[in-house]
């Protein structure tokens, strides 16, 4: 039904009305409305200062200094559902429950704090970041010690993997520690990842290695700063515990080191959480889980509404379309879009062999294990549709025939929601205001020449944000490597004339405003594989300086930063970057 969109994922349709684009508020009015080029330079440094202040100088009053005071609660999760009656972490098929009790297996050997997110530790967990420097924290954040109130749980879920029903999957190496209600009243579910075997570990060892844990820590925090809904990461602890991995599934076993990420989400329930109950005919439990999810996370849905499941479904359809459009707007390919990795809250979860696209290519596949390119960047919207179909199948037993047909109708709307959102996001990336008939063409035309010239996705849009109208007019792009690549296309100047004409037609818009708007949505820095790789090799030698630097820089992806420039993070990627591969092994 949707194959014609598959290859033309960016062939955008015009939409009639758009909600406002979410732009990270990085500037004050004064910063954004300076009216000379010189002012612009000074406002940029002003901007960074303000930004850094507001993002990092979280008010320290009332932050907990004492880790022992930190409490979580598992009451809600435990009381809402039956718990697995069997104890112990032996791998087994589990029935009639949502969670199994499972105690983490502490990491062996000396533990080291490789990274901590001040924004999460202070802004979400209400802890003074200084607590992360204590020995206690190393144990709490790696499974060796449990916070008061914690009853560690492993969640039972299933999923469709690479298009096929895979049966029971579940948290095979993650433990939910409980929920924390912070001083803003937000409820966050804390999880350790890499914390040992659970009943869902199948043949796995329950561990995660440094390589994949650094990637999850950095990327989830970077995605948050890009404005993309995501799970968060509080800390990364590394150990000396040997963990054997066949990184590229070629028989080349290597001993790596175990690591644990303390990660957070409002909820970790996935499409696969519902699928397993539906598939195994546990309909009462399916109803219970949905009731819980709706009550806790969809407050606008009335639980007495006979159409509540339909409203829930329609919300997930809408939000998933929005999420994938946001991924596309920053060139993010998740890598493993199985239904067990798709959140019911439509946030990005389970970071594995993801990648940020460099040369623009809709067939970009970040995961070298994905031979058929099922999860190529350009296929993500289509895969979202597949996953939402599976969600509908899972909800099936709770829907009347009439509701089933209405749900199918809702699902049909997914394509339009996605296209409307992506059109809106790409228009913002080009600084376009209002709506003109040819806007879809202008965007698709640019993407086509980017594809032909293999121009860098991130830097093409960023440099278009940084060039002045004068530079566009004089076609001078010296030292703008992505635009230089782009300008080698024989149709580039045709596109540029169209673009300039469109910009000139924008009344009440100054060039500086246009640049600032574009800079607020077009990052200068994303977590390219080569950047992560370099930080990982140092981290494996217990040098965490580059992880820390990347974490900091990627917290302000829209702000030009001296250290990032010195490190070459906005420069043409090094040649060795092309040889890098990532796989599912983690
Ligand atoms: P992922 O591809 O990371 O989303 O994982 C798919 C499934 O495999 C989930 O059920 C994971 O918990 C499980 N899994 C992945 N790696 C391991 C491991 N090292 N040990 C146990 N289970 C694992
Ligand atoms: Mg997963």
């Amino acid at each position: 039904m949707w194959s014609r969109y598959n290859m033309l994922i960016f062939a955008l349709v015009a939409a009639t009305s758009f909600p406002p684009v979410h732009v990270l508020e990085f500037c004050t009015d004064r910063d954004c409305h300076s009216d000379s080029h010189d002012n612009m330079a000074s406002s940029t440094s002003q901007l960074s200062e303000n930004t850094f202040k507001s993002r990092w100088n979280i008010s320290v009053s009332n932050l907990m200094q004492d880790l022992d005071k930190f409490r979580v609660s598992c009451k809600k999760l435990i009381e809402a559902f039956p718990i697995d009656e069997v104890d112990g972490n032996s791998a087994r098929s589990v029935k009639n429950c949502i969670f199994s009790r499972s105690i983490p297996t502490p990491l062996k050997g000396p533990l080291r704090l490789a990274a901590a997110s001040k924004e999460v530790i202070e802004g979400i967990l209400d802890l003074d970041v200084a607590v992360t420097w204590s020995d206690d924290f190393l144990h709490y954040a790696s499974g060796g010690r449990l916070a008061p109130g914690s009853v560690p749980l492993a969640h039972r879920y299933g999923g469709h993997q690479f298009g096929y029903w895979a049966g029971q999957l579940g948290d095979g190496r993650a433990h939910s520690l409980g929920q924390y209600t912070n001083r803003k009243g937000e409820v966050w579910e804390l999880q350790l990842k890499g914390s040992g075997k659970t009943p869902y570990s199948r043949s796995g060892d329950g561990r995660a290695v440094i390589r994949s844990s650094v990637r999850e820590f950095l990327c989830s925090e970077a995605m948050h700063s890009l404005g993309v809904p995501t799970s968060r990461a509080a800390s990364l602890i590394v150990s000396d515990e040997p963990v054997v991995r066949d990184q590229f599934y070629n028989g080349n076993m290597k001993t790596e080191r175990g690591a644990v990420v303390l990660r957070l989400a409002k909820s970790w329930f996935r499409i696969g959480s519902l699928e397993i109950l539906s598939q195994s005919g546990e309909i009462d439990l399916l109803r219970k889980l949905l009731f819980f999810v709706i009550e806790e996370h969809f407050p606008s849905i009335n639980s007495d509404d006979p159409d509540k499941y339909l409203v829930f479904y329609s919300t997930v359809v809408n939000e998933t379309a929005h999420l994938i459009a946001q991924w596309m707007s920053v060139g993010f390919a998740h890598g493993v879009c199985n239904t067990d990795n798709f959140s019911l809250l439509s946030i990005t979860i389970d970071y594995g062999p993801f990648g940020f696209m460099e040369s623009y290519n809709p067939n970009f596949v970040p995961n070298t294990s994905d031979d058929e390119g099922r999860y190529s960047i350009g296929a993500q919207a289509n895969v979202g549709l597949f996953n939402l179909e599976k969600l509908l199948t899972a909800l099936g037993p709770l829907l009347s025939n009439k509701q089933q047909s209405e749900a199918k109708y809702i699902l049909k709307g997914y394509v339009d929601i996605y296209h409307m959102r992506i059109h809106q996001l790409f228009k913002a990336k080009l600084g376009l205001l209002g709506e003109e008939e040819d806007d879809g063409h202008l965007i698709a035309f640019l993407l086509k020449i980017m594809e032909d010239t293999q121009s860098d996705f991130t830097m093409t849009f960023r440099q278009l944000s940084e060039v002045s109208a004068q530079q566009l007019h004089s076609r001078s792009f010296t030292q703008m490597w992505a635009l230089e690549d782009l300008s080698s296309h024989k149709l580039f100047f045709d596109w540029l004339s169209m673009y300039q004409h469109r910009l000139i037609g924008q009344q009440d818009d100054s060039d500086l405003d246009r640049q600032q708007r574009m800079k607020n949505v077009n990052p200068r820095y994303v977590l390219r594989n080569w950047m992560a790789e370099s930080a990982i090799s140092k981290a494996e030698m217990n040098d965490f300086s580059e992880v820390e630097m990347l974490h900091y820089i990627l917290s302000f992806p829209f702000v030009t930063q001296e250290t990032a420039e010195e490190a070459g993070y906005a420069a043409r990627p090094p040649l060795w970057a092309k040889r890098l591969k990532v796989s599912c092994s983690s």
Side-chain angles (χ1 to χ4, degrees):
M1 151 197 172
W2 208 38
S3 56
R4 73 193 167 95
Y5 291 105
N6 203 5
M7 294 309 292
L8 285 172
I9 213 73
F10 288 126
L12 305 159
V13 293
T16 44
S17 69
F18 305 125
V21 181
H22 170 70
V23 172
L24 286 182
E25 284 168 18
F26 275 133
C27 50
T28 63
D29 274 1
R30 188 164 57 88
D31 293 321
C32 287
H33 296 102
S34 23
D35 52 9
S36 77
H37 202 73
D38 284 342
N39 275 355
M40 181 66 198
S42 67
S43 83
T44 307
S45 58
Q46 180 85 50
L47 172 79
S48 339
E49 222 172 78
N50 287 343
T51 306
F52 283 35
K53 264 191 202 136
S54 62
R55 293 284 304 282
W56 289 84
N57 282 5
I58 299 158
S59 154
V60 287
S61 60
N62 301 325
L63 288 177
M64 277 178 271
Q65 322 268 333
D66 181 357
L67 210 43
D68 292 335
K69 295 216 175 91
F70 185 78
R71 296 185 62 85
V72 293
S73 170
C74 291
K75 213 163 165 255
K76 248 187 194 160
L77 296 175
I78 287 179
E79 287 180 357
F81 310 112
I83 299 281
D84 181 8
E85 286 174 357
V86 183
D87 275 334
N89 285 331
S90 60
R92 57 184 185 266
S93 165
V94 181
K95 290 274 180 305
N96 302 315
C97 71
I98 304 292
F99 293 107
S100 300
R101 282 203 174 89
S102 171
I103 302 293
T105 311
L107 279 174
K108 288 193 205 78
L111 302 174
R112 293 176 178 86
L113 177 74
S117 166
K118 184 174 157 78
E119 212 181 283
V120 172
I121 302 279
E122 298 196 337
I124 297 180
L125 296 178
D126 305 329
L127 286 163
D128 188 324
V129 77
V131 303
T132 61
W133 308 327
S134 66
D135 272 0
D136 279 357
F137 184 81
L138 293 177
H139 296 292
Y140 280 123
S142 65
R145 197 169 299 165
L146 296 174
S150 175
V151 180
L153 301 169
H155 173 41
R156 169 185 174 227
Y157 58 80
H160 277 82
Q161 296 192 316
F162 291 85
Y164 298 97
W165 175 242
Q168 176 181 301
L169 298 166
D171 288 333
R173 52 172 171 168
H175 291 86
S176 267
L177 299 176
Q179 294 177 317
Y180 176 69
T181 306
N182 69 14
R183 56 187 178 172
K184 292 178 228 159
E186 302 163 345
V187 182
W188 289 86
E189 190 180 326
L190 276 63
Q191 266 201 358
L192 297 178
K193 180 167 174 183
S195 41
K197 286 188 183 173
T198 76
Y200 307 98
S201 298
R202 295 171 290 157
S203 55
D205 57 6
R207 290 300 188 208
V209 293
I210 293 182
R211 159 173 64 79
S212 61
S213 308
V214 166
R215 285 168 55 85
E216 169 140 9
F217 177 88
L218 287 178
C219 197
S220 53
E221 288 305 278
M223 288 285 270
H224 170 74
S225 298
L226 286 168
V228 183
T230 176
S231 61
R232 305 293 305 270
S235 64
L236 165 63
I237 310 289
V238 303
S239 75
D240 284 353
E241 182 171 322
V243 174
V244 177
R245 289 286 182 271
D246 181 357
Q247 194 184 343
F248 297 111
Y249 303 106
N250 57 7
N252 194 1
M253 307 298 263
K254 219 177 110 194
T255 302
E256 303 187 46
R257 286 164 56 198
V260 170
V261 172
L262 172 58
R263 59 183 198 172
L264 288 74
K266 299 273 174 75
S267 165
W268 289 99
F269 289 128
R270 306 125 196 276
I271 292 181
S273 307
L274 299 172
E275 279 183 293
I276 196 161
L277 303 174
S278 191
Q279 290 264 355
S280 56
E282 295 169 53
I283 308 307
D284 282 346
L285 208 43
L286 175 69
R287 198 176 286 112
K288 228 177 213 163
L289 179 53
L290 259 172
F291 177 81
F292 183 88
V293 170
I294 291 172
E295 281 280 299
E296 295 294 315
H297 304 290
F298 294 77
S300 63
I301 302 180
N302 179 351
S303 47
D304 294 330
D305 183 346
D307 282 334
K308 58 181 174 296
Y309 302 134
L310 266 188
V311 185
F312 164 77
Y313 185 63
S314 142
T315 312
V316 181
V317 168
N318 188 57
E319 296 295 314
T320 302
H322 279 234
L323 175 69
I324 298 178
Q326 278 186 279
W327 287 357
M328 300 302 280
S329 79
V330 293
F332 175 80
H334 179 285
V336 198
C337 298
N338 295 331
T339 55
D340 51 303
N341 291 335
F342 258 50
S343 149
L344 290 178
L345 269 52
S346 309
I347 59 169
T348 317
I349 56 167
D350 282 17
Y351 289 84
F354 64 83
F356 283 88
M357 173 171 62
E358 298 196 339
S359 298
Y360 177 77
N361 172 14
N363 298 317
F364 166 64
V365 181
N367 175 9
T368 46
S369 320
D370 181 6
D371 299 328
E372 291 173 9
R374 179 180 168 83
Y375 298 136
S376 71
I377 193 162
Q380 292 187 124
N382 212 9
V383 165
L385 180 67
F386 175 91
N387 290 350
L388 291 165
E389 270 165 12
K390 298 300 167 202
L391 173 60
L392 177 52
T393 309
L395 296 177
L398 304 180
L399 303 176
S400 66
N401 287 344
K402 183 165 170 278
Q403 286 173 327
Q404 295 246 15
S405 16
E406 278 169 6
K408 282 183 191 146
Y409 186 74
I410 288 169
L411 185 57
K412 280 200 177 131
Y414 169 83
V415 173
D416 284 345
I417 300 168
Y418 173 75
H419 278 137
M420 183 186 83
R421 183 63 177 144
I422 204 147
H423 181 71
Q424 182 187 40
L425 289 168
F426 275 78
K427 257 179 42 182
K429 283 175 84 65
L430 284 177
L432 308 184
L433 298 175
E435 183 64 36
E436 300 257 325
E437 206 184 325
D438 284 343
D439 286 350
H441 175 62
L442 184 70
I443 297 163
F445 188 2
L446 171 64
L447 294 170
K448 176 76 179 108
I449 56 180
M450 283 170 67
E451 185 178 356
D452 289 349
T453 51
Q454 298 185 13
S455 300
D456 187 84
F457 179 76
T458 303
M459 287 310 286
T460 300
F461 281 102
R462 180 66 189 194
Q463 289 175 350
L464 284 173
S465 323
E466 290 171 349
V467 282
S468 63
Q470 179 55 40
Q471 280 173 294
L472 284 175
H473 183 74
S474 61
R475 275 92 167 111
S476 87
F477 307 120
T478 5
Q479 299 201 326
M480 294 202 159
W481 58 275
L483 292 188
E484 279 174 351
D485 288 353
L486 192 72
S487 64
S488 67
H489 199 284
K490 62 177 189 300
L491 295 177
F492 173 68
F493 293 111
D494 292 352
W495 176 80
L496 194 58
S497 305
M498 231 180 122
Y499 182 44
Q500 278 179 291
H501 187 254
R502 175 68 172 82
L503 291 181
I504 290 165
Q506 298 194 155
Q507 282 159 11
D508 302 327
D509 189 27
S510 76
D511 196 36
L512 285 178
D513 283 349
R514 190 259 318 162
Q515 286 178 316
Q516 195 56 62
R517 262 196 329 272
M518 287 175 69
K519 284 190 216 167
N520 282 345
V521 292
N522 291 312
R524 192 163 166 88
Y525 315 112
V526 291
L527 183 62
R528 295 168 189 266
N529 266 347
W530 71 268
M531 288 154 55
E533 195 60 29
S534 167
I536 289 165
S537 17
K538 288 194 177 138
E540 284 172 339
M541 314 284 280
N542 293 330
D543 171 359
F544 308 117
S545 55
E546 213 162 296
V547 173
E548 193 184 339
M549 179 171 83
L550 271 177
H551 173 221
Y552 188 83
I553 287 168
L554 296 172
S555 299
F556 307 99
F558 304 105
V559 179
T560 303
Q561 300 164 58
E562 214 175 299
T563 33
E565 297 303 307
E566 278 163 12
Y569 292 162
R572 196 183 282 286
L575 281 177
W576 60 267
K578 289 226 181 313
R579 292 194 298 273
L580 288 175
K581 293 197 284 185
V582 285
S583 76
C584 273
S585 150
S586 59

